[in-house]
Amino acid sequence: MAAPPAAPRIVVENAAIATVDADGTEYASGHLVVAGNRIESVGAGKAPEGLENVVRRIDATGHLLTPGLVNTHHHFYQWLTRGLATDHNLFDWLVALYPTWARIDEPMVRAAARGSLAMMARGGVTTAMDHHYVYPVGSGDLSGAIIGAAAETGVRFTLARGSMDRSEKDGGLPPDFAVETTEGALAATEETVRRHHDASFDAMTQIAVAPCSPFSISTGLLREGAALARRLGVRMHTHGSETVEEERFCHELFGMGPTEYFESTGFLGEDVWMAHCVHMNDSDIAAFARTGTGVAHCPSSNARLGAGIARVPDMLKAGVPVGLGVDGTASNETGELHTELRNALLVNRLGAHRESALTVRQALRLGTHGGARVLGRADAVGSLEPGKLADFVLWRIDGLGHSTIADPVAALVLGPPAPVTASFVDGRQIVENGRLLTVDEDTLAREARTEARRLARLTAQG
């Protein structure tokens, strides 16, 4: 019997390469060979001779090749409400925007998701996530719209199916008409997992269970959500320790801080990651390290809302998994993750560790392997190694903004946003010379603008 034909191969050569593997291996000039949707080899110099079925060769002279960026926290729907409440802290910002967000519907969410995903993908994100937690009655299939937008864009995706059941009448922040019942939220979350979650190695869509935050959910929803996630074998996500106001809220309502409260409900563990984690004391960090709970660090959003500086160097030293997040674009209007590499480094150097807080390579690791670990995908993505999925980015670093920075990783992290010449997900190219190949950006911009204006009109009408 004849041997099956070799998988189609793509060969990238002459690139500076940061593999972000466990040893931090780098090559001043190296190659990457992709076979199908897997990385076949990576190393110094030219690719091996005699490769069969090579369908494309890329001369990457003047480029840095890295794993694709991994976004660990976002709220896509907020693409329609950028530039509002620009001088508020978190609680005041939420109170100002909840009445608008509670009027979203399926066309709005689809347009917002397409815009959010496109902005990230054209900037080097290959694995995205969305924490969507606003499900107004009669608003349509919001989860399906988001998942469909991710498939259309071509990125690998995790939907953290969020929920809120603690409204103003119960002492929470969301208005009464913006929340679900506990039972309804749990049932809808389970249905989303059963319909859409793919547990395979090369999955393009996965689902997590994600009650929103201590001030918008009941203890029952948090505890039962954790039990549901573990019964279904999926990960869990929420917001935690974002502000001093949240710390005060937890002490007043539960008699303990956020980390202790989460642990009491079963919401710490290797299958859990939390957004922000700004106000963490030594015992909180120790609890995250002991349980393997991950952190989505969102430096730009934390600064935009005046939340504070997360203790990322201390978390990393303790062994806490840490990745980077854009957060919603109503608190990080750029909507891009590659800017978070630079901001993570700079913001953390304003903290206690100053210039020793983070290196440029630690910043790149946060945005790639760290994020993959937080999402539970580090076996498949987040570094350039044989056998892993072919999610990678070519950044041009020989142009005006970068050509005088000799260290290519420093050029990427500290220089201006590097142009993305090519971005591949699952062996398929989705970006070329800074433009998306999968969707039309001008169409997305028009659709998002139309839906943003419709949402503003509905809000004004009351």
Side-chain angles (χ1 to χ4, degrees), residues 252-269:
E252 290 176 354
L253 198 63
F254 311 123
M256 63 187 84
T259 299
E260 187 179 357
Y261 173 61
F262 284 127
E263 187 156 29
S264 74
T265 63
F267 226 87
L268 293 186

Side-chain angles (χ1 to χ4, degrees), residues 280-361:
M280 302 266 283
N281 59 33
D282 289 347
S283 63
D284 295 331
I285 292 174
F288 271 56
R290 168 173 48 80
T291 58
T293 304
V295 171
H297 176 44
C298 306
S300 293
S301 176
N302 294 343
R304 160 80 150 78
L305 296 173
I309 302 171
R311 296 174 58 188
V312 172
D314 297 325
M315 295 177 193
L316 294 175
K317 184 178 180 181
V320 176
V322 182
L324 293 180
V326 171
D327 203 8
T329 49
S331 65
N332 180 5
E333 277 77 2
T334 69
E336 298 178 305
L337 191 71
H338 63 283
T339 57
E340 300 305 292
L341 302 176
R342 186 173 193 266
N343 289 345
L345 184 147
L346 297 182
V347 167
N348 280 279
R349 287 188 178 184
L350 294 174
H353 297 276
R354 299 182 62 184
E355 66 274 9
S356 300
L358 291 176
T359 68
V360 293
R361 282 163 177 79

Side-chain angles (χ1 to χ4, degrees), residues 64 89 125 245 285 353 389:
L64 172 65
N89 66 27
V125 169
E245 292 84 5
I285 292 174
H353 297 276
L389 297 171

Side-chain angles (χ1 to χ4, degrees), residues 68-248:
L69 301 184
V70 179
N71 181 31
T72 62
H73 187 65
H74 211 309
H75 307 295
F76 292 172
Y77 72 92
Q78 292 181 14
W79 188 256
L80 303 185
T81 57
R82 295 191 295 167
L84 304 178
T86 57
D87 302 307
H88 291 50
N89 66 27
L90 175 67
F91 275 25
D92 292 342
W93 176 82
L94 288 170
V95 169
L97 291 174
Y98 271 140
T100 297
W101 295 339
R103 290 171 169 83
I104 60 174
D105 58 23
E106 187 174 335
M108 293 177 191
V109 168
R110 179 180 295 107
R114 294 177 79 199
S116 296
L117 285 156
M119 199 68 192
M120 284 187 292
R122 70 199 293 271
V125 169
T126 56
T127 298
M129 72 81 66
D130 183 31
H131 185 191
H132 188 87
Y133 54 83
V134 183
Y135 289 88
V137 174
S139 55
D141 183 9
L142 304 189
S143 293
I146 297 164
I147 291 168
E152 179 185 20
T153 308
V155 299
R156 211 172 294 283
F157 182 59
T158 295
L159 174 66
R161 203 293 180 182
S163 51
M164 302 188 294
D165 70 342
R166 184 191 294 277
S167 65
E168 289 175 318
K169 67 179 174 58
D170 301 314
L173 288 184
D176 296 341
F177 59 85
V179 303
E180 300 174 275
T181 66
T182 305
E183 297 75 15
L186 290 167
T189 300
E190 180 167 2
E191 175 64 17
T192 302
V193 173
R194 294 196 182 281
R195 285 182 60 192
H196 297 291
H197 182 69
D198 181 356
S200 67
F201 178 82
D202 54 358
M204 292 296 292
T205 303
Q206 295 196 330
I207 309 298
V209 175
C212 183
S213 60
F215 45 83
S216 63
I217 56 176
S218 67
T219 300
L221 180 56
L222 195 63
R223 183 176 289 116
E224 292 178 46
L228 173 66
R230 288 179 175 131
R231 174 165 59 84
L232 298 177
V234 298
R235 298 181 73 74
M236 297 133 67
H237 182 56
T238 191
H239 297 88
S241 300
E242 185 173 359
T243 65
V244 292
E245 292 84 5
E246 179 191 328
E247 179 88 16
R248 188 180 308 120

